[in-house]
Amino acid sequence: MNLINLTAQEIKTKVLNLEISPLDIVEQFLNNIEQKDKTIGAFAHIDREYAEICANDLEIRLKKGEKPALAGIPIAIKDNISRKGYLTTCCSLSLKDYKGVYDATVVSKLREAGAIIVGTTNMDEFAMGSSCENSALHPTKNPWDLNYSPGGSSGGSAACVAGGLVPLSLGSDTGGSIRQPASLCGVLGLKPSYGRVSRYGLVAFASSLDQIGSFARNYQDLNLLTEVISGYDKKDSTSVQKDLNLNFDKDKTITVGIPEEYFSDGLNTDVRIKVEEALDYLTKNANVKTIPISLPSLKYAIATYYVIATAEASSNLGRYDGMHYGTRFDGENLTDSFCQSRTNGFGDEVQRRIMLGSYVLSSGYYDAYYVKALKVRRLIANDFQDAFTKCDVIIGPTSPIAGLKLNEDVDDPMSKFLLDIYTVSANLVGLPGLSVPCGFGDKNHPIGLQIIGNSFDEACILELARRFENAGHNNKIAEIA
Amino acid sequence: MNFTEDNVREVAALARLKFDDKKIASMAEQMDKIVGYVQLIQDAPVDDLEPFIYPTELTNVLREDIPQESLATVDVLANCHKADEHFFYVPPVIE
């Protein structure tokens, strides 16, 4: 039986009916991954041994009559999520041999749910980037067009789902790092509300913005994984005691706010057309009412994001000094060893962001940049608060472009920053955001529709994904030679 | 210029990074562009607004002071460049 193109739900059903064994799944999926990933490079580390451990554990539980929620479903996790005893490198030279000392809470939950973790996925180093080209390992290619990037920073997690290597994966999203690659790879990608999913064991980039979330090829699979990973965790002081309830009134009219700022200059024509078609579909077929809204502070969002994210990153990455863990490069003395380890261990993008973060936090600039950005963050939050008095969700494009060519604008750091224009606000405010596929552009590159919900209202955005299902954009798998 | 080569040297020292002259020049050029761009926030009307630090209200989480299992020393030392049974080895701190 060929299992590769099945949905996560279908695999689970077959496993629980004992039609297939967990070890059969490991055999088929790992063989397929080992062969096809040579072409796209979605994985940082393929872990057959770990997958077999997961499968053997599940086999024992199935014999006891247990029916775990993700039974036998192969899943890949981003290389910044800790697993005890296994490589967690953030695709950085500074952590190239680092093995997790404990399991992240999401890993514990996946294991408890009977998932089979097949390896870790490629990413921009420390999740800093939008193209996966900042990985110290290798770039990942978009399975729909090998000359193009899958996006980033969770590019590997998006590419392996789009290419049919796994039905589900986990990523992390600090400024769009789940939604943007989901959009560019034609899959669904959900950044839950800040606090919804425990970040214990997620290597920190920007702690007030980071959130773990899921990739899938259809909304049912996405819901399944989201339900498993959500929930309060006493090990993460920012996780919130609110139960996830995805039940939503299927007859309710959903009011969608369309921000004029999301459709202004700079939006690719293909993207505009597909997003407008999707809105037209929703209005005609999905009991949706649209209203125009305005988010006037959007123009400050990227600048605000880059001040706050880099300030937090410069502090979080202070721990990589080569002393307690990580790669050490010896210098002339202690301080010089710190400098050598960090300069040789971090790539250019990470160094630039540490420099900006250190600058905006330094004496004389702290108020002018960091505190000012925190106040602008309030302004942006107020815009969203106002908008959600008029609508249930906000819809626009996920990314302003339909394809991101590999090796383009590598010397211009600003060019990739600007690709985050539609995604960073949800992180600044802590809102849930979902990218769902809404078609392909003229050059056959996928395009994503972004649905931003009110805080902790994942149910509404996932209901819209359900209502959009019949538009016919789910479950697309790119052929990989 | 928003960001000069001297700025690069000063901030690199704070960040414990060390660049050669060529890298200092390219870093100054790139940082100048980035810092120039983020000036945009200076125009935002925020005088009456409070800083927004976290998306959720953080509250103190208190618990009873009960001993719990912590990470094993051997696991913690496993990722170190050089260690003995109990200690990290680091370059001399006092010379």
Side-chain angles (χ1 to χ4, degrees):
Chain A
M1 189 189 302
N2 184 358
L3 309 173
I4 299 299
N5 292 346
L6 297 183
T7 68
Q9 295 273 8
E10 288 166 344
I11 292 171
K12 174 184 168 181
T13 303
K14 288 186 184 304
V15 169
L16 292 181
N17 291 340
L18 306 179
E19 291 172 49
I20 48 175
S21 81
L23 281 168
D24 289 341
I25 292 168
V26 172
E27 189 62 19
Q28 274 205 30
F29 275 89
L30 266 292
N31 288 351
N32 189 51
I33 290 168
E34 283 164 357
Q35 184 206 333
K36 291 190 173 164
D37 200 50
K38 287 178 188 152
T39 304
I40 61 168
F43 279 80
H45 309 287
I46 300 168
D47 291 327
R48 185 179 278 269
E49 176 196 286
Y50 192 88
E52 286 172 352
I53 292 170
C54 295
N56 284 323
D57 283 356
L58 177 61
E59 193 76 58
I60 294 166
R61 293 173 63 192
L62 292 171
K63 280 182 183 154
K64 289 184 193 163
E66 291 184 36
K67 296 188 183 303
L70 300 177
I73 300 171
I75 181 165
I77 63 175
K78 194 172 176 178
D79 199 36
N80 58 354
I81 297 174
S82 177
R83 268 180 313 155
K84 185 171 181 180
Y86 286 82
L87 286 170
T88 307
T89 73
C90 296
C91 294
S92 174
L93 185 58
S94 67
L95 288 175
K96 74 180 174 62
D97 299 316
Y98 179 84
K99 290 181 176 170
V101 183
Y102 56 90
D103 279 345
T105 295
V106 289
V107 169
S108 304
K109 286 181 176 237
L110 291 180
R111 292 296 304 275
E112 182 62 30
I116 295 175
I117 299 174
V118 295
T120 63
T121 55
N122 199 25
M123 57 187 277
D124 289 297
E125 182 182 9
F126 285 105
M128 297 182 190
S130 306
S131 67
C132 233
E133 291 167 296
N134 297 331
S135 166
L137 302 177
H138 50 255
T140 295
K141 295 173 179 173
N142 191 316
W144 292 102
D145 183 339
L146 301 179
N147 295 314
Y148 278 69
S149 157
S153 65
S154 311
S157 294
C160 66
V161 172
L165 304 188
V166 282
L168 293 174
S169 65
L170 288 185
S172 66
D173 190 316
T174 304
S177 283
I178 288 174
R179 291 160 286 154
Q180 184 255 23
S183 172
L184 297 184
C185 287
V187 297
L188 291 89
L190 173 67
K191 180 203 94 73
S193 306
Y194 185 82
R196 176 66 89 190
V197 177
S198 169
R199 297 179 298 127
Y200 178 73
L202 172 70
V203 177
F205 159 14
S207 302
S208 79
L209 304 162
D210 297 338
Q211 185 61 76
I212 292 174
S214 318
F215 290 93
R217 292 191 294 265
N218 61 68
Y219 85 90
Q220 295 98 327
D221 289 356
L222 189 74
N223 285 10
L224 186 66
L225 182 54
T226 303
E227 284 180 323
V228 166
I229 62 171
S230 298
Y232 172 70
D233 178 18
K234 66 180 180 185
K235 292 176 180 167
D236 175 0
S237 61
T238 61
S239 85
V240 171
Q241 300 205 31
K242 282 190 182 175
D243 290 336
L244 177 74
N245 179 0
L246 295 183
N247 292 326
F248 192 92
D249 180 357
K250 292 186 169 42
D251 298 323
K252 184 184 177 219
T253 301
I254 296 176
T255 305
V256 172
I258 313 291
E260 57 178 308
E261 294 82 1
Y262 278 46
F263 294 85
S264 57
D265 295 346
L267 178 62
N268 169 286
T269 307
D270 282 356
V271 179
R272 178 193 300 275
I273 290 169
K274 289 296 163 191
V275 170
E276 285 175 352
E277 281 176 13
L279 285 166
D280 190 48
Y281 175 90
L282 287 169
T283 313
K284 288 178 178 156
N285 303 287
N287 196 10
V288 157
K289 184 178 87 178
T290 61
I291 58 163
I293 58 165
S294 180
L295 299 168
S297 305
L298 183 75
K299 57 180 177 281
Y300 305 121
I302 289 187
T304 304
Y305 170 80
Y306 275 94
V307 169
I308 292 170
T310 60
E312 294 184 14
S314 71
S315 173
N316 275 326
L317 272 63
R319 69 193 70 176
Y320 302 107
D321 57 12
M323 297 300 134
H324 300 96
Y325 48 80
T327 312
R328 185 190 297 179
F329 291 84
D330 284 319
E332 292 167 7
N333 51 42
L334 183 67
T335 304
D336 195 40
S337 293
F338 291 155
C339 293
Q340 295 296 345
S341 298
R342 292 166 61 76
T343 308
N344 292 301
F346 294 142
D348 286 348
E349 183 63 25
V350 173
Q351 290 182 3
R352 266 195 297 274
R353 296 199 193 195
I354 291 174
M355 288 288 290
L356 179 61
S358 302
Y359 176 67
V360 300
L361 289 177
S362 64
S363 176
Y365 300 100
Y366 179 84
D367 286 328
Y369 289 102
Y370 182 62
V371 174
K372 180 91 181 188
L374 292 176
K375 290 182 177 179
V376 185
R377 189 179 188 179
R378 174 80 60 195
L379 192 68
I380 294 166
N382 290 348
D383 272 5
F384 278 88
Q385 204 173 359
D386 287 349
F388 282 119
T389 61
K390 302 173 194 126
C391 60
D392 301 310
V393 296
I394 293 168
I395 287 188
T398 306
S399 165
I401 56 169
L404 179 60
K405 205 155 195 220
L406 286 165
N407 303 314
E408 209 159 69
D409 294 329
V410 281
D411 295 325
D412 180 6
M414 281 311 302
S415 68
K416 299 243 169 41
F417 284 12
L418 299 174
L419 298 179
D420 300 336
I421 178 72
Y422 304 131
T423 50
V424 293
S425 298
N427 301 79
L428 287 168
V429 186
L431 304 172
L434 170 67
S435 183
V436 292
C438 64
F440 290 78
D442 270 357
K443 293 180 181 165
N444 206 33
H445 295 139
I447 292 169
L449 176 81
Q450 184 178 212
I451 309 170
I452 298 173
N454 206 344
S455 198
F456 294 99
D457 196 8
E458 280 83 357
C460 187
I461 58 179
L462 290 168
E463 168 64 10
L464 262 182
R466 187 191 71 77
R467 294 186 193 183
F468 193 53
E469 186 193 20
N470 286 337
H473 304 299
N474 285 355
N475 291 319
K476 304 270 195 237
I477 298 180
E479 287 282 335
I480 300 171
Chain B
M1 286 286 281
N2 294 299
F3 212 91
T4 64
E5 293 189 11
D6 280 344
N7 287 135
V8 173
R9 289 187 189 90
E10 289 160 16
V11 178
L14 291 173
R16 297 285 191 259
L17 294 167
K18 197 171 185 176
F19 304 134
D20 60 23
D21 288 347
K22 193 175 159 200
K23 184 77 182 270
I24 288 172
S26 66
M27 184 65 82
E29 195 182 325
Q30 291 171 341
M31 292 295 293
D32 189 59
K33 276 190 198 167
I34 298 170
V35 172
Y37 178 78
V38 301
Q39 297 294 344
L40 202 61
I41 60 172
Q42 305 305 340
D43 302 335
V46 294
D47 288 347
D48 302 330
L49 297 179
E50 288 294 312
F52 183 113
I53 299 167
Y54 265 94
T56 51
E57 289 293 320
L58 291 180
T59 51
N60 271 338
V61 181
L62 302 176
R63 63 167 173 79
E64 294 300 314
D65 190 16
I66 302 166
Q68 296 176 26
E69 202 176 318
S70 60
L71 299 174
T73 310
V74 64
D75 291 340
V76 173
L77 292 174
N79 281 301
C80 178
H81 177 73
K82 192 177 174 193
D84 70 6
E85 202 177 335
H86 298 290
F87 300 103
F88 297 100
Y89 272 67
V90 300
V93 177
I94 301 168
E95 296 181 2

